[in-house]
Amino acid sequence: MNESSWGAPPGAGRWGPPDQGPAAALRGAAPPAPAGPVHDAGDAAQTRPMPIVPDAGGHQDDDRDPRDIRDDRDHRDDRGAARLSGPLFRDEKPQEPMPTSFPGPPGPESPQDREKPQKKSAGRNLRAAIGVGVGLGVVIAASLFVYKPLFIGVIAIAVVVGLWELTSRLAERKDIRVPLVPLAIGGTAMVIAGYVRGAEGAWVAMSLTALAVLVWRMTDAPENYLRDVTAGIFAAFYVPFLATFVALMLAAEDDGPQRVLTFLLLTVVSDTGAYAVGWRFGKTKLAPRISPGKTREGLLGAVAFAMVAGALCMEFLIQEGAWWQGLLLGLAVAVSATLGDLGESMIKRDLGIKDMGTLLPGHGGIMDRLDSLLPTAPVVWLLFVIFVGAG
């Protein structure tokens, strides 16, 4: 820093006697400058004197040997004696000490952290899911083997509730107004017609239900008519028509209940195998954009579990069935159940929801349980017809 930056007159800022050399004579008979910087009294009280720091050449008036001076300077530098230890100017704040550590991203895990086992989460309430599953199994078994028409009523109730969940979500998330009344009536008619009149009766009921949806929607405004009726016909096919194939299996006179039981067992076993193996060993995603939780390892588990269960069921439950037919049946069930689950996941992704409902604790809604059953029903019915006949 030079002296002119403070705005002092020439000669100010020097400590000691004023300059009386030849330069002063050349400037004229100027009065001697005061022996110190010229400031107001207030400034003088607040200003601290500039510390005198020896330059690189040592003391100007030192008569010692230059090597001794250099050694002495180095010794003082090592002790920090020549370092400034305070603010040089009155407007400066004392410099805060530098922190010894800086916050930052966490470092790599220690070997002890890596050795800690990572606990996997099942993703749902297993106790509630198992309890609800056992309760549904009891209701199905009791209605299936006690009085077959009673099981038709169970199918019809599941169809109506599933239609209500699906149409409600379509209205909430996409503002698609699907008429529920004709769907519920037509869906119940499909199930009953399939049990009483076979596949022909189911197709007739399906056609009449689609016509009813078209007519019912005409009572509302014409805006979005095509969108709403298209969604209504899709809902009629997706839920009640596919469920009709369960009624077709039940209609077999010789072993109808056993066929339905085999269909339900294989689907549940496939789902359980996929869940268990995928949760424990799953690493490679099966369809990450549709269902990130499903893995290829889980699919292999579903196939293995379903094939073993299929061989046992065809051998001991189905009349004139063979174990090798059960292997093929189990493979088909594992594939169709997985595709059905992915299909409903695609619908839920489009709607932006996780579950179709909350009616079944630990499972979601009725549609969240029918997702793998509905597409599997026609596959199992067709294979039963091929292997052992319509019954």
Side-chain angles (χ1 to χ4, degrees):
M1 174 179 292
N2 55 25
E3 296 165 351
S4 62
S5 62
W6 287 89
R14 293 189 177 90
W15 300 91
D19 189 1
Q20 300 292 340
L26 295 176
R27 290 193 298 265
V38 179
H39 295 291
D40 293 339
D43 291 342
Q46 298 178 8
T47 305
R48 299 177 60 183
M50 290 280 291
I52 301 175
V53 182
D55 57 9
H59 297 277
Q60 297 178 359
D61 299 331
D62 205 328
D63 296 332
R64 293 179 295 171
D65 187 88
R67 291 174 297 178
D68 297 335
I69 295 174
R70 183 172 61 253
D71 295 339
D72 182 70
R73 184 177 68 248
D74 296 339
H75 180 64
R76 285 186 293 106
D77 287 342
D78 292 341
R79 293 183 291 115
R83 296 173 185 169
L84 301 181
S85 59
L88 298 179
F89 310 108
R90 60 182 175 181
D91 294 333
E92 291 183 351
K93 295 182 181 179
Q95 185 177 5
E96 298 180 0
M98 292 290 290
T100 58
S101 62
F102 296 90
E109 294 182 350
S110 63
Q112 293 81 2
D113 295 335
R114 288 195 297 267
E115 291 175 0
K116 292 180 181 179
Q118 297 292 332
K119 198 178 215 180
K120 286 190 176 183
S121 174
R124 57 179 175 177
N125 190 335
L126 284 180
R127 291 185 179 180
I130 293 173
V132 171
V134 171
L136 290 175
V138 171
V139 172
I140 291 172
S143 61
L144 188 59
F145 290 98
V146 173
Y147 185 56
K148 289 200 297 184
L150 185 61
F151 185 72
I152 296 299
V154 173
I155 299 175
I157 293 174
V159 163
V160 172
V161 176
L163 286 170
W164 170 71
E165 289 180 347
L166 179 59
T167 56
S168 298
R169 301 297 86 77
L170 289 174
E172 292 171 1
R173 308 299 298 184
K174 297 291 186 178
D175 197 29
I176 299 176
R177 307 297 173 180
V178 178
L180 179 59
V181 174
L183 283 177
I185 297 175
T188 304
M190 278 186 234
V191 174
I192 297 174
Y195 179 71
V196 175
R197 303 295 298 179
E200 182 181 354
W203 276 112
V204 172
M206 172 65 192
S207 302
L208 294 176
T209 302
L211 181 60
V213 170
L214 294 173
V215 174
W216 192 282
R217 179 58 180 78
M218 290 180 183
T219 60
D220 205 344
E223 288 78 16
N224 299 319
Y225 174 81
L226 182 60
R227 182 195 66 180
D228 294 345
V229 297
T230 303
I233 295 174
F234 163 75
F237 174 82
Y238 182 48
V239 183
F241 182 75
L242 294 181
T244 301
F245 288 92
V246 183
L248 293 175
M249 284 186 276
L250 184 62
E253 295 180 0
D254 298 332
D255 52 2
Q258 287 80 5
R259 295 190 184 197
V260 175
L261 181 62
T262 299
F263 154 70
L264 295 175
L265 283 177
L266 293 186
T267 307
V268 172
V269 167
S270 171
D271 185 41
T272 303
Y275 178 77
V277 175
W279 177 75
R280 182 64 181 86
F281 303 103
K283 294 181 180 179
T284 308
K285 301 297 183 182
L286 179 63
R289 295 182 60 185
I290 302 175
S291 182
K294 290 181 176 52
T295 61
R296 297 179 183 179
E297 294 80 4
L299 177 59
L300 294 178
V303 170
F305 277 56
M307 290 180 71
V308 172
L312 295 175
C313 289
M314 288 296 291
E315 186 70 27
F316 298 104
L317 290 179
I318 305 302
Q319 295 182 11
E320 301 179 2
W323 64 269
W324 63 268
Q325 297 171 344
L327 294 178
L328 297 177
L329 182 64
L331 175 61
V333 167
V335 174
S336 62
T338 302
L339 291 176
D341 201 351
L342 290 175
E344 202 210 15
S345 297
M346 196 78 169
I347 296 173
K348 291 189 289 187
R349 286 275 179 183
D350 188 23
L351 296 178
I353 57 176
K354 184 177 183 297
D355 294 318
M356 280 290 186
T358 58
L359 187 61
L360 304 177
H363 293 269
I366 289 290
M367 284 300 299
D368 296 301
R369 292 299 87 203
L370 297 179
D371 55 359
S372 55
L373 290 169
L374 291 174
T376 305
V379 174
V380 174
W381 173 80
L382 179 61
L383 290 178
F384 274 141
V385 172
I386 295 173
F387 290 152
V388 295

